[in-house]
Amino acid sequence: MHVDGSVAGNAETGMGGASGSDTVAAWARVKRRLRAELGEDVFASWFARLELVEVVSGTARLSVPTRFLKSWIESHYLDRVLATFRSEVESVSLIEVGVRGAGAPPRVVSGAVKSSAPASPLARLQAASSVQLSSGEMSFPAEVESASQPRGEASGDLNGAPLDNRLTFASFVVGRSNALAHAAAERVARHDGQGALYNPLYFHAGVGLGKTHLLHGIGHAARESGRRVIYLTADRFMYGFVNALKTQSALAFKEKLRAIDLLILDDVQFIQGKSIQAEFGHTINSLIDAGRQVVVASDRPPTELEALEERVRSRLAGGLVVEIGTLDEQLRMSILSARLAAVRVAHPNFEVSPTVATYVARAITANGRDLEGAVNRLLAHATLTGTAVTMETAETAIRDLVKNREPKRIKIEDIQKLVASRYNVSRSDILSERRTAAVVKPRQIAMYLSKVLTLRSLPEIGRRFGGRDHTTVLHAVRKIDKLIGEDNVLNDEVELLKRMLQD
């Protein structure tokens, strides 16, 4: 499906002669504008995984990972995306949305501009310096092969999303921040006794920290032992349920979903809609009550899934909840070394010096996906120029991956939620009049962080903390400021909270 604009694109380049790097920059601006205009929640739900595939003859081809996302964007936001894109690049007159993933054609260079004439080596190098290589050039192919399924696997849409054959326990790099999650995942995947372990097993982490990798690893290991496994993203679960309602096969959908041994559900924070949430809750309860294993992943702990009913959040929190922390430098170095070793299998002459590798591991701190992107860009420079990777070329290649952008805008409610989660109290406790030590300390820490990480005044902070006076906030700020100078443990706690809020 597509939307036509009134301006025809240039037939030769599709962008009036713009370069691939210009297209990438324009697309980045489009996404920033969509985020600002629609709000963080809407953007995260529907646009975070929308990618630019190519622009050719005035048509911008975009991709999403699921049919549900494609259908939703086409039904609700396609005109908005076209208008926003055309405000940045006037020659774009058409938007097409496709579904990437298993069975999809290889993805071309993100943001590349197709031309009827072959691109020059310089143009190819410029594009490769700012985007990932195509699946044919990468050591990590974009398309995913579906794992074989044991007999008795549910059929139809309930085959679930395919498992990525690259994402196994063997390829998972273990470090201090993810060791507990990895150990729990292996125990659950290889459990061959009666009942289930840690049910449900719930992982939460930011983007690119390995939770999806662990889910796929669990799926592979469990299927190898003959267990009936379904891996679903939240989008796929919603699409399957809505489709079952439309075709009047909802009962069969429910029965098949509850007849499995292991349900793996990713990105649960995206589940929306009252009836879908209710069915999700019923499914979770039925599987757990029947002794079937449930594994769930999200970007936040279950207590912060405010869109879900309280009883569903409580059920999710009743198992083993494991947070996967940020990557420390040692783990980033290990991940980078593993990626480089994998690339050298296909490109034996590709070498990156220890000095450059150390620089990359120290410069890219956000997540493992950015480290993989860095390897792809270094490979692009090496293969397209035929020269060795130097510190200078490395700095150029990963410039946009280094966190030198504006500091993240932090909200007081985000501070309250994070502090409440870390100290095992509720946000309502922090806002309440309770004066027990278990509540006073996190409340004062949250006030302190609100003062040092936001531009809000003391009276405004006080209002956000249950209508308190500004003198109460000032007292809390001074007290925590004094304590962190005397107590190294508290200082480390507060610094960790700061990093988590700023990342």
Side-chain angles (χ1 to χ4, degrees):
M1 181 174 177
H2 60 262
V3 167
D4 285 296
S6 59
V7 180
N10 182 292
E12 282 290 304
T13 67
M15 289 285 290
S19 69
S21 58
D22 290 340
T23 312
V24 172
W27 176 240
R29 292 194 299 272
V30 169
K31 295 192 77 172
R32 283 198 298 271
R33 288 186 56 178
L34 290 172
R35 185 193 298 270
E37 293 171 4
L38 300 172
E40 185 63 38
D41 290 342
V42 172
F43 182 88
S45 296
W46 308 115
F47 297 98
R49 289 171 290 175
L50 181 66
E51 294 181 1
L52 177 65
V53 178
E54 62 183 355
V55 176
V56 56
S57 299
T59 299
R61 291 174 181 160
L62 312 177
S63 72
V64 290
T66 68
R67 288 180 292 169
F68 180 84
L69 264 181
K70 167 182 162 64
S71 176
W72 188 272
I73 291 173
E74 287 178 339
S75 300
H76 295 82
Y77 295 108
L78 206 59
D79 290 330
R80 172 71 70 93
V81 174
L82 176 63
T84 306
F85 211 134
R86 287 189 58 199
S87 67
E88 295 292 339
V89 184
E90 292 184 1
S91 59
V92 170
S93 57
L94 186 70
I95 295 288
E96 292 181 353
V97 182
V99 180
R100 61 182 178 268
R107 188 175 68 184
V108 300
V109 180
S110 296
V113 180
K114 276 194 171 182
S115 172
S116 56
S120 67
L122 177 59
R124 291 166 58 208
L125 177 58
Q126 288 173 335
S129 68
S130 59
V131 296
Q132 290 190 352
L133 290 170
S134 70
S135 58
E137 297 167 303
M138 286 169 56
S139 292
F140 307 100
E143 62 267 31
V144 178
E145 295 180 8
S146 177
S148 60
Q149 297 176 353
R151 291 180 183 177
E153 192 70 278
S155 61
D157 281 337
L158 290 181
N159 283 336
L163 294 177
D164 189 333
N165 286 332
R166 301 166 298 165
L167 304 182
T168 64
F169 287 139
S171 63
F172 188 83
V173 182
V174 182
R176 184 171 56 182
S177 63
N178 59 25
L180 176 60
H182 177 263
E186 282 209 309
R187 286 286 300 276
V188 164
R190 305 188 193 286
H191 177 63
D192 55 2
Q194 294 296 317
L197 284 175
Y198 321 127
N199 211 10
L201 176 58
Y202 187 105
F203 298 120
H204 66 97
V207 174
L209 297 181
K211 57 183 182 298
T212 296
H213 193 145
L214 284 179
L215 296 187
H216 284 251
I218 292 172
H220 285 302
R223 281 180 175 171
E224 287 171 3
S225 65
R227 294 162 74 184
R228 294 168 299 176
V229 179
I230 288 182
Y231 166 74
L232 292 169
T233 61
D235 297 332
R236 190 111 183 193
F237 178 86
M238 291 189 290
Y239 179 86
F241 182 65
V242 171
N243 190 55
L245 290 177
K246 288 181 178 178
T247 58
Q248 299 182 343
S249 58
L251 183 59
F253 175 86
K254 297 175 185 180
E255 290 177 347
K256 287 183 178 180
L257 190 57
R258 296 173 191 178
I260 59 175
D261 299 315
L262 171 61
L263 173 65
I264 304 173
L265 188 63
D266 201 359
D267 289 332
V268 69
Q269 72 273 11
F270 292 128
I271 289 184
Q272 300 182 12
K274 187 174 181 180
S275 61
I276 294 176
Q277 290 177 6
E279 181 54 37
F280 170 69
H282 294 324
T283 299
I284 294 293
N285 286 331
S286 298
L287 288 171
I288 293 176
D289 291 343
R292 311 294 173 83
Q293 181 69 56
V294 176
V295 181
V296 178
S298 175
D299 65 352
R300 66 201 73 169
T303 54
E304 295 182 15
L305 295 172
E306 297 177 353
L308 293 180
E309 296 179 358
E310 174 61 33
R311 60 191 180 88
V312 180
R313 297 201 302 268
S314 177
R315 195 70 193 251
L316 292 174
L320 176 61
V321 178
V322 183
E323 179 182 11
I324 303 176
T326 55
L327 309 177
D328 57 37
E329 185 178 329
Q330 181 178 356
L331 181 53
R332 295 198 302 272
M333 192 68 211
S334 298
I335 293 172
L336 185 63
S337 298
R339 297 289 186 268
L340 290 170
V343 168
R344 279 194 288 270
V345 172
H347 303 272
N349 296 325
F350 176 58
E351 290 293 338
V352 175
S353 70
T355 302
V356 171
T358 300
Y359 162 72
V360 172
R362 288 178 177 172
I364 297 178
T365 60
N367 56 64
R369 292 178 189 169
D370 284 352
L371 289 171
E372 182 170 326
V375 173
N376 293 331
R377 294 170 195 212
L378 295 178
L379 177 62
H381 277 262
T383 55
L384 294 175
T385 65
T387 60
V389 175
T390 65
M391 185 67 75
E392 182 179 0
T393 57
E395 290 174 349
T396 301
I398 69 171
R399 184 166 46 207
D400 66 313
L401 296 175
V402 178
K403 296 197 86 176
N404 57 0
R405 41 190 173 244
E406 292 182 8
K408 177 183 175 183
R409 200 173 147 205
I410 300 170
K411 300 177 182 177
I412 289 178
E413 49 222 6
D414 292 336
I415 295 173
Q416 294 167 342
K417 290 177 183 178
L418 177 62
V419 172
S421 173
R422 297 294 293 185
Y423 286 92
N424 200 28
V425 297
S426 67
R427 182 168 173 250
S428 59
D429 287 332
I430 288 180
L431 302 181
S432 72
E433 295 297 325
R434 293 181 57 192
R435 296 182 179 276
T436 60
V439 174
V440 170
K441 180 182 177 182
R443 180 187 294 141
Q444 291 179 333
I445 289 175
M447 288 180 176
Y448 171 82
L449 291 171
S450 297
K451 179 64 176 70
V452 298
L453 296 179
T454 76
L455 299 176
R456 301 294 182 184
S457 65
L458 293 178
E460 175 64 16
I461 294 173
R463 284 194 293 273
R464 299 291 189 90
F465 279 82
R468 286 175 164 78
D469 187 85
H470 76 280
T471 57
T472 303
V473 181
L474 181 60
H475 170 74
V477 171
R478 287 175 174 172
K479 182 173 182 179
I480 298 300
D481 192 41
K482 180 175 182 292
L483 288 177
I484 61 178
E486 301 170 350
D487 186 342
N488 289 333
V489 174
L490 179 61
N491 181 63
D492 291 344
E493 287 180 8
V494 172
E495 287 302 314
L496 175 60
L497 290 168
K498 283 182 183 178
R499 288 199 299 273
M500 293 175 70
L501 288 163
Q502 292 169 334
D503 285 344

